[in-house]
């Protein structure tokens, strides 16, 4: 019986890959890297797969430098100073809070501690103990607990609920330390999803965020998860939430790309029809995201997130030139959807990048014709 299921899975996989594997004019054929016809991403200046940075969606050298200092010295003060100097309502502060919390959580997973050995992430514990009134440390601690719940326990279990309840209390503590800061409430969005807040309670939480940072893209992405079909909403509610955000997006805001994230969250498990990627709902969402990217500030911290998702959709839609135009901006960093859902984000990204290069060259493109 197990062999039968394996054969069925292989057949289904063949259907999924068929659009990428067919040959002919305008189509591409995957060959081994050493084949004379193999397209080489290195010809475009792209980073080798083993050198891709899976920690962040795009560059933030100040964050990387501080993380290196904190993890090497186990001294929290550099992280405290960086957050204190980062705009409270901005997207970058939210990304940095997530990064510090994720680093502490990963350290703890790698070094859980034991007899005579301190657990990993000890610097965060020291930070909270030494500076209990520091709003940055409180926010990082709350996000750390959220990430611990998702990393170490399964939703619905007592263990998961206990950690999430602790995270909820930590969000409340962080909010009291900085009443105008949206970050504690953005962290609580994940708590709301995990604990299954009622829609009324979730909307009350969401209003607190809108009062503080109405155009915060990271907050909208976190809220979208709650409204998705796989959590506490439906496809219709998620689409409605995303389209409403896009409709009220001010000029230059990446909120116009929200419908593309809603489409991604509701993709079918297996897409047997290649034309799915050219359907009206997908095409409209892609066009909205492309418009958002073209209108956004070049230094918008969320720009890389949208570009990464666009690469996924543009490659699946065989829009090779447009995919390449996004790749030149984001190559080197892969810490974003959809790659982070894979066990090996760098390898997943590299496959799509190779497909984009092969498709681009199959249609007459070359390094000389690719604008940077």
């Amino acid at each position: 019986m197990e062999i039968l299921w394996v054969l069925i899975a292989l057949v289904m996989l063949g259907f999924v890959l068929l659009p990428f594997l067919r040959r002919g004019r305008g189509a591409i054929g995957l060959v081994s890297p050493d084949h004379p016809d193999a397209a080489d991403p290195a010809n475009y200046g792209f980073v080798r797969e083993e050198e891709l940075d899976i920690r962040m969606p795009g560059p933030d050298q100040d964050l990387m430098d501080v993380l290196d200092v904190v993890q090497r010295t186990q001294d929290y003060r550099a992280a405290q100073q960086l957050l204190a100097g980062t705009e409270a309502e901005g997207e970058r502060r939210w990304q940095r809070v997530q990064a510090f919390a994720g680093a502490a959580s990963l350290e703890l997973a790698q070094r859980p501690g034991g007899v005579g050995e301190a657990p990993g992430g000890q610097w965060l514990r020291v930070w909270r103990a030494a500076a209990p009134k520091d709003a940055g440390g409180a926010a990082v601690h709350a996000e750390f607990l959220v990430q611990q719940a998702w990393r170490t326990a399964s939703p619905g279990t007592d263990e998961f609920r206990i950690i999430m309840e602790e995270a909820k209390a930590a969000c409340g503590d962080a909010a009291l330390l900085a009443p105008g800061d949206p970050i504690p409430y953005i962290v609580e969005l994940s708590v709301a999803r995990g604990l299954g807040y009622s829609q009324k309670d979730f909307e009350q939480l969401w209003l607190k965020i809108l009062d503080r940072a109405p155009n915060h893209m990271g907050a909208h992405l976190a809220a979208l998860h709650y409204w998705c079909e796989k959590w506490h909403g439906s496809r219709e509610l998620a689409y409605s939430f995303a389209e409403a955000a896009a409709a009220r997006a001010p000029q230059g805001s990446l909120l116009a790309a929200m419908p593309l994230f809603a489409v991604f969250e509701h993709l079918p498990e297996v897409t047997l029809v290649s034309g799915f990627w050219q359907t009206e709902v997908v095409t409209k969402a892609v066009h909205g995201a492309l418009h958002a990217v073209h209108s956004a500030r070049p230094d918008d911290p969320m720009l890389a997130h949208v570009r990464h998702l666009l690469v996924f959709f543009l490659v699946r839609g065989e829009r090779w030139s447009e995919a390449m135009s996004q790749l030149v901006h984001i190559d080197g960093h892969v810490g974003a959807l959809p790659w982070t859902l894979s066990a090996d984000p760098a390898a997943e990204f590299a496959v799509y990048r190779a497909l984009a290069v092969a498709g681009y060259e199959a249609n007459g493109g070359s390094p000389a014709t690719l604008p940077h």
Side-chain angles (χ1 to χ4, degrees), residues 275-295:
F276 169 82
W277 305 99
Q278 289 84 29
T279 57
E280 182 180 358
V281 65
V282 173
T283 300
K284 183 179 178 182
V286 168
H287 286 171
L290 286 170
H291 172 74
V293 164
H294 293 152
S295 304

Side-chain angles (χ1 to χ4, degrees), residues 134-350:
D134 180 59
V140 172
H141 179 241
E143 173 65 14
F144 166 80
L145 290 170
V146 166
Q147 293 195 26
Q148 280 296 102
W150 293 109
R151 185 189 299 273
T152 64
S154 299
T157 64
D158 288 343
E159 181 184 4
F160 181 84
R161 178 167 289 277
I162 289 170
I163 301 174
M164 277 297 188
E165 290 287 359
E166 187 179 355
K168 182 178 179 180
C171 289
D173 293 340
L176 288 175
L177 291 172
D181 188 351
I183 300 298
Y185 300 103
I186 299 175
V187 176
E188 193 178 348
L189 291 174
S190 188
V191 176
R193 176 163 56 99
L195 293 181
Y197 281 23
S198 69
Q199 292 188 2
K200 179 181 178 181
D201 289 343
F202 185 87
E203 287 170 346
Q204 289 178 346
L205 171 62
W206 182 240
L207 287 175
K208 294 177 182 178
I209 295 171
L210 292 182
D211 285 343
R212 292 162 175 81
N215 300 316
H216 199 290
M217 179 73 170
H220 279 79
L221 291 176
L224 177 64
H225 289 300
Y226 176 91
W227 294 114
C228 286
E229 190 173 59
K230 59 189 173 185
W231 286 105
H232 308 293
S234 65
R235 180 189 302 266
E236 292 73 25
L237 285 171
Y239 279 22
S240 176
F241 175 81
E243 288 164 3
R248 67 171 182 269
Q251 178 64 28
S253 170
L254 287 166
L255 289 176
M258 283 297 298
L260 189 65
F261 287 87
V263 171
F264 177 76
E265 292 294 339
H266 293 88
L267 288 177
E269 291 293 331
V270 177
T271 306
L272 301 182
V273 181
S274 60
F276 169 82
W277 305 99
Q278 289 84 29
T279 57
E280 182 180 358
V281 65
V282 173
T283 300
K284 183 179 178 182
V286 168
H287 286 171
L290 286 170
H291 172 74
V293 164
H294 293 152
S295 304
R297 301 190 329 269
D299 63 344
D300 191 316
M302 295 302 293
L303 187 54
H305 285 274
V306 181
R307 290 191 188 278
H308 279 287
L309 196 61
L310 272 170
V311 167
F312 172 84
F313 277 94
L314 292 169
V315 168
R316 298 305 295 260
E318 302 182 21
R319 298 168 64 168
W320 314 116
S321 179
E322 291 169 293
M324 292 293 286
S325 295
Q326 301 304 319
L327 282 167
V328 298
H329 292 286
I330 58 172
D331 189 73
H333 297 83
V334 295
L337 286 175
W339 328 121
T340 49
L341 297 179
S342 168
D344 190 343
E348 185 80 0
F349 173 82

